[in-house]
Amino acid sequence: MTSALPYTLIATDLDGTLLRAGDTVSARSCAALATARAAGARHIVVTGRPVPQIRHVLDDLGYTGLAVCGQGAQVYDAARGLLLHSVSMDRGLAEVALGKIEAEIGEVYTAVNQEGLDAEMLIGPGYRMWHPHLPTVRVPKRGDLWSAPITKVLLQHPRLDDDELTRVARSVVGDLVNVTMAGEHTVELQPPGIDKASGLARAAEALGVPASSTIAFGDMPNDVPMFGWAAYGVAMANAHRELVAVADEVTLSNEADGIAVVLERLYG
């Protein structure tokens, strides 16, 4: 890779960032990424979704690099179909955290992402899955969520919105687990120290690329750590205000090819 490149690593979130509705990537975005790669840059996906929920996206992209998945808990080698790194969440700790949160605000609806390449997303009573195209398994009671190792817990509340649920959960259990908002109706609990920055740092080290050579694109508060790690952060026009507040630039929305606009300027 040439030192003349503006950035040698392009880190992109998926939902609300690179992806359009229906998990699609526009021809313009594909072309802009191809131009950047031809210039010597590398593209790395950094997503909150676990590996089983992004394989179809990576296949459609013809993606063969490393991908940071599960909110930073997983590093996946798409070319070889191998999980290079994975951090599980202690299920006892998860139950303790949920108990403390419910003592504060009443019942929450929960789901989990299990650990592994072919793991399932288990949905507990009351939890609503807002991505109906992604496979899930509904279980009759919460205790069934802990039947196998997990990477994270997802929360919803019958009355509180995402911002308030995140704020309350963080105030109650933020010393025990990492609490983040990953998207609409998607508040998550993960092991301490696990976030997109930690996962991206691990993958970038494997690629031999420093933070100072990385540009990152995102749209939600779970991208804030990634922006803090990368040299330059670009928020989408549809981004959450918390991410906009720490972004170096705001581009067009994901539906308007906001990533392509920036990459065409930098690598065109």
Side-chain angles (χ1 to χ4, degrees), residues 30 32 35 77 100 131 153 163 177 182 203 209-210 222 232 247 252-253 260:
C30 286
T35 297
D77 184 333
K100 288 179 175 291
H131 295 281
V153 179
D163 290 303
V177 295
V209 181
N222 64 324
Y232 196 81
L252 300 182
S253 73

Side-chain angles (χ1 to χ4, degrees), residues 78-101:
R80 296 187 290 164
L82 294 177
L83 194 56
L84 303 182
H85 178 75
S86 183
V87 179
S88 62
M89 183 171 192
D90 183 276
R91 286 167 278 179
L93 176 62
E95 289 190 281
V96 169
L98 287 174
K100 288 179 175 291
I101 292 169

Side-chain angles (χ1 to χ4, degrees), residues 7-266:
Y7 301 98
T8 54
L9 188 62
I10 302 163
T12 65
D13 173 47
L14 288 181
D15 295 287
T17 303
L18 180 61
L19 296 183
R20 289 181 164 189
D23 279 6
T24 59
V25 181
S26 73
R28 183 180 178 186
S29 291
C30 286
L33 286 167
T35 297
R37 288 195 300 269
R42 284 176 159 170
H43 171 220
I44 186 167
V45 164
V46 185
T47 178
R49 296 193 200 185
V51 173
Q53 293 184 353
I54 69 159
R55 276 196 183 129
H56 64 291
V57 176
L58 300 183
D59 289 343
D60 290 346
L61 279 171
Y63 188 94
T64 57
L66 300 184
V68 177
C69 307
Q71 217 67 267
Q74 300 172 321
V75 178
Y76 174 64
D77 184 333
R80 296 187 290 164
L82 294 177
L83 194 56
L84 303 182
H85 178 75
S86 183
V87 179
S88 62
M89 183 171 192
D90 183 276
R91 286 167 278 179
L93 176 62
E95 289 190 281
V96 169
L98 287 174
K100 288 179 175 291
I101 292 169
E102 290 185 321
E104 189 75 17
I105 58 174
E107 184 182 16
V108 294
Y109 305 141
T110 55
V112 300
N113 286 137
Q114 293 182 326
E115 187 177 22
L117 284 176
D118 300 305
E120 296 177 316
M121 182 175 183
L122 304 185
I123 306 293
Y127 190 94
R128 182 176 176 185
M129 183 59 178
W130 291 84
H131 295 281
H133 57 286
L134 296 178
T136 60
V137 176
R138 189 163 291 279
V139 298
K141 58 184 185 296
R142 180 180 289 175
D144 297 330
L145 298 176
W146 321 121
S147 60
I150 64 172
T151 58
K152 63 182 175 182
V153 179
L154 301 92
L155 308 179
Q156 293 171 357
H157 192 273
R159 297 181 308 278
L160 300 182
D161 65 20
D162 302 324
D163 290 303
E164 185 65 8
L165 178 55
T166 302
R167 186 194 66 78
V168 172
R170 193 170 285 158
S171 69
V172 175
V173 297
D175 59 333
L176 296 177
V177 295
N178 182 45
V179 182
T180 190
M181 186 202 304
E184 191 175 11
H185 312 295
T186 312
V187 177
E188 301 182 356
L189 309 180
Q190 287 193 280
I194 298 300
D195 56 26
K196 285 193 174 184
S198 67
L200 178 55
R202 178 178 291 273
E205 182 179 13
L207 296 173
V209 181
S212 59
S213 296
T214 303
I215 183 172
F217 294 83
D219 73 309
M220 292 302 291
N222 64 324
D223 295 312
V224 169
M226 178 168 69
F227 277 26
W229 183 84
Y232 196 81
V234 182
M236 314 307 288
N238 47 289
H240 191 281
R241 63 182 180 277
E242 286 185 21
L243 189 68
V244 171
V246 300
D248 297 293
E249 178 181 345
V250 177
T251 186
L252 300 182
S253 73
N254 60 317
E255 297 291 342
D257 294 320
I259 287 179
V261 169
V262 176
L263 296 185
E264 288 164 357
R265 185 186 77 221
L266 293 175

